[in-house]
Amino acid sequence: MNVSATGKMKIDCPPFLDQRPGTSGLRKKVARFQEPHYLAMFVQAIFEGVGNLKGSTIALGGDGRFFNREASAIILRMAAAHGIAKVVVGKGGLLSTPAVSNIIRARQLRGGIILSASHNPGGPDGDFGIKYNVANGGPAPEAVTEAIFARSKTLTGYEILDESAGTIDLDRVGSQKLGAMSVEIVDSVADYAALMERLFDFERMRGWLRGNDLLFDAMHAVTGPYAEEILVKRLGAPRAALINAVPKPDFGHHHPDPNPAHAEELMARLWAADAPALGAASDGDGDRNMILGPKLAVTPSDSLAVLAANATLIPAFAKGIKGVARSMPTSRAADVVAAELGIESFETPTGWKFFGNLLDAGRVTLCGEESYGTGSDHVREKDGLWAVLFWLNLLAATGKSVPEIMAAHWQRFGRHYYSRHDYEALDSARANDIMNGLRQRLADLQGRGGIDLADDFRYQDPIDQSVSEKQGVRLVFGNGGRLVLRLSGTGTEGATLRLYIEKFVARTGALGLDAQAALADLIADAETIIGIKKLSGRTRPDVVT
Ligand code: VG1
Ligand code: CO
């Protein structure tokens, strides 16, 4: 170690070899991130892998999970040592992922660092994560994450300011200095709330909230303060419309994952006799959403299709939408709407980073993923509260209920019954064997047993022509059925296999069935063809959504 007159230290350290970013940033157990130099070495890999950050301004914020503050302090001292000119930080180190995206875009920053493992559990025994967003406000594309990974394997150390350079008070809004670097602490919510007011008809939504109940579950994660400002202060919902609205470092011991399996309290309220008209939840870093009506959970793939079909009722999209994109495992419900509207539709690999080019090129306006992610060109991330406001605006504009909107949608377009079955924490070698075994049989499967297409999804980006291989196996049946199998890229324990099951029923068919019942035959076929249970030794999936 050597300390210069400016307090800059070079810390020598051999590289860590497990820092390849996954679907959305680097995620590891908190304990791994707390190991000496682990976080710092990855941050150094970001600075060097991204490559053009000296003299620039970047954003920094996180979802408030355990280790958020300590990590923020380390990153600020490293940013100063690296020669970054200024960092814009959310108060208390808090910013939702879409809020970071907005700040980068609105202030034309070079990029931003987000501290989050999103929907993964937090706390000392939970997960931590770090992701880098580029100048368009979106997640770093694969070329950048691969450059970061390559750099992480050859680093010999990192640079950081000595503590004598001072510390930043994360809770004091305003300008501060760290060495030669400026730090601006900003209100975490203000810019984002102003953006939402520009997109939606707040007057009309206020009217709807005077006669209808809303229940929003922030899952003790980052959207609590956002919901408080937007839903309560600006839209007039009562404070009781929010549950779990105070962010906690361990998310109250829960998974901050907005799905029927993890939002128990919210689900119970929506299935009760006096259920609110709209129920919703968001995840750890505020980019996911779940939408519920009385006794009805809207499938995320359907939500994208409904938003596309009704977009012109929202002020931001009054002139129509340009196109729709969905991740490959997401159901094809949105494609049907796009065809009807005469607009383009795109199928991309899993992860929001693949939507950025299409949004930047003006080819699509709305994007979605089956994993409770929906968004538009207002930022370059999926956006949880945005989706809730979209639905609220839709209910206010139509005067219809959530079940009425869904029934009308299916009667017009037909219904894509859909479910995802997750097999979590499998032995990695075994999970890879199951994937590879299926891959080897693709040529045999194609054309047999009603399967029209059996392939491993390969994506060529229509804008920059970059290619991403092996993005998941698709088995597409001629009768409207589809099975998809892929390995998760966000887990931190063993491997998680995701099986996605989809079946299309035309508008003249049975539209009101329970999804698991409607999909039962296809689920049984999946076991016959792929044999996850047989090969993994598991009797049932860990999570069904
Ligand atoms: C999962 C979802 C994917 C989503 C990603 C990040 O990835 O399936 O659709 O983009 O999480 O979401 P994977 O590789 O585990 O299937 V978030 O809200 O956790 O940043
Ligand atoms: Co998230």
Side-chain angles (χ1 to χ4, degrees):
M1 182 176 97
N2 79 60
V3 184
S4 77
T6 53
K8 191 157 111 177
M9 305 186 286
K10 167 91 199 293
I11 312 279
D12 297 322
C13 180
F16 294 94
L17 301 177
D18 65 344
Q19 297 192 326
R20 177 179 234 147
T23 310
S24 175
L26 181 72
R27 295 185 194 184
K28 298 283 174 196
K29 292 277 172 216
V30 165
R32 182 76 171 137
F33 268 108
Q34 284 176 320
E35 282 174 32
H37 315 306
Y38 190 86
L39 170 86
M41 289 292 276
F42 186 66
V43 171
Q44 189 69 31
I46 292 177
F47 290 164
E48 295 187 22
V50 172
N52 60 353
L53 296 179
K54 291 196 164 91
S56 74
T57 303
I58 62 169
L60 172 66
D63 64 9
R65 69 180 57 225
F66 186 82
F67 200 51
N68 193 111
R69 277 180 182 265
E70 295 86 332
S72 302
I74 293 170
I75 293 169
L76 287 171
R77 288 197 288 128
M78 288 184 66
H82 188 66
I84 287 173
K86 181 177 170 183
V87 185
V88 179
V89 190
K91 187 178 175 214
L94 284 188
L95 281 173
S96 76
T97 287
V100 172
S101 188
N102 179 48
I103 285 177
I104 294 171
R105 295 169 64 75
R107 298 173 182 236
Q108 300 187 317
L109 309 188
R110 191 68 55 81
I113 291 176
I114 302 174
L115 305 175
S116 173
S118 191
H119 60 288
N120 297 22
D125 303 322
D127 293 343
F128 191 74
I130 173 164
K131 50 188 177 178
Y132 183 76
N133 281 26
V134 294
N136 76 348
E142 275 195 327
V144 176
T145 56
E146 285 302 307
I148 292 170
F149 178 50
R151 205 69 202 94
S152 75
K153 292 185 291 190
T154 59
L155 288 177
T156 57
Y158 60 93
E159 290 187 314
I160 187 165
L161 284 203
D162 176 42
E163 301 209 349
S164 66
T167 47
I168 292 293
D169 179 356
L170 290 176
D171 298 307
R172 183 159 57 83
V173 169
S175 293
Q176 302 176 43
K177 275 275 184 192
L178 189 61
M181 185 178 81
S182 306
V183 176
E184 185 186 351
I185 308 290
V186 298
D187 180 298
S188 309
V189 181
D191 288 9
Y192 178 84
L195 173 65
M196 294 302 117
E197 288 219 40
R198 293 197 293 276
L199 299 175
F200 298 106
D201 187 346
F202 270 46
E203 194 49 53
R204 196 165 212 172
M205 293 148 83
R206 269 190 285 272
W208 186 87
L209 281 165
R210 280 194 288 272
N212 299 277
D213 286 341
L214 159 77
L215 189 62
F216 177 77
D217 185 354
M219 305 193 90
H220 289 305
V222 77
T223 50
Y226 292 84
E228 183 93 46
E229 175 65 30
I230 297 169
L231 299 175
V232 177
K233 288 206 191 120
R234 301 197 187 197
L235 285 169
R239 184 62 183 63
L242 310 185
I243 53 174
N244 304 321
V246 177
K248 292 188 179 172
D250 66 352
F251 308 117
H253 295 298
H254 293 297
H255 281 248
D257 192 353
N259 64 39
H262 289 304
E264 273 176 53
E265 182 184 355
L266 179 69
M267 294 297 287
R269 294 276 294 274
L270 267 293
W271 260 255
D274 59 347
L278 178 63
S282 190
D283 73 330
D285 60 333
D287 57 359
R288 295 186 177 206
N289 74 91
M290 174 168 68
I291 299 295
L292 305 167
K295 296 195 173 66
L296 187 146
V298 179
T299 303
S301 301
D302 274 348
S303 180
L304 174 65
V306 168
L307 299 189
N310 295 286
T312 52
L313 295 171
I314 306 301
F317 311 113
K319 294 199 182 106
I321 53 173
K322 293 173 189 140
V324 190
R326 61 165 175 83
S327 66
M328 182 273 281
T330 302
S331 97
R332 294 165 292 179
D335 304 12
V336 176
V337 173
E340 169 102 8
L341 296 178
I343 56 175
E344 284 192 288
S345 62
F346 297 87
E347 180 175 47
T348 60
T350 296
W352 213 261
K353 56 179 170 252
F354 295 101
F355 294 134
N357 280 347
L358 293 168
L359 289 162
D360 286 351
R363 295 282 286 275
V364 301
T365 307
L366 297 179
C367 307
E369 292 193 278
E370 53 67 39
S371 54
Y372 298 84
T374 336
S376 84
D377 58 3
H378 70 289
V379 288
R380 292 294 179 274
E381 287 278 5
K382 56 187 187 268
D383 190 344
L385 263 175
W386 169 89
V388 178
L389 295 173
F390 197 135
W391 270 91
L392 193 56
N393 199 153
L394 195 55
L395 296 179
T398 58
K400 289 191 187 139
S401 69
V402 175
E404 284 166 355
I405 288 176
M406 290 318 303
H409 187 86
W410 295 327
Q411 272 154 25
R412 182 169 167 206
F413 298 103
R415 177 169 180 187
H416 291 76
Y417 284 100
Y418 190 83
S419 182
R420 182 174 108 184
H421 291 191
D422 293 333
Y423 294 81
E424 297 182 336
L426 296 172
D427 173 64
S428 294
R430 193 175 285 202
N432 277 306
D433 284 351
I434 296 174
M435 261 330 291
N436 292 330
L438 181 61
R439 284 192 174 112
Q440 278 157 17
R441 289 163 45 222
L442 290 177
D444 286 347
L445 287 168
Q446 173 134 349
R448 289 219 206 145
I451 299 175
D452 285 356
L453 172 75
D455 75 350
D456 196 349
F457 183 56
R458 172 186 190 272
Y459 179 66
Q460 179 159 32
D461 185 297
I463 311 302
D464 67 14
Q465 313 305 325
S466 60
V467 171
S468 303
E469 309 265 7
K470 299 177 96 172
Q471 296 297 317
V473 168
R474 301 188 288 189
L475 303 178
V476 183
F477 296 79
N479 65 1
R482 189 176 71 141
L483 295 170
V484 171
L485 187 72
R486 60 179 283 280
L487 282 167
S488 159
T490 57
T492 59
E493 251 181 83
T496 292
L497 265 182
R498 304 201 195 285
L499 173 68
Y500 311 78
I501 310 120
E502 171 189 344
K503 181 180 170 185
F504 178 66
V505 171
R507 56 189 180 186
T508 48
L511 300 173
L513 305 176
D514 168 71
Q516 298 305 317
L519 295 168
D521 290 352
L522 203 49
I523 292 168
D525 289 347
E527 184 56 26
T528 310
I529 300 167
I530 309 169
I532 301 177
K533 295 193 184 98
K534 195 175 86 202
L535 297 171
S536 68
R538 297 283 176 88
T539 51
R540 70 177 93 85
D542 298 277
V543 181
V544 172
T545 52

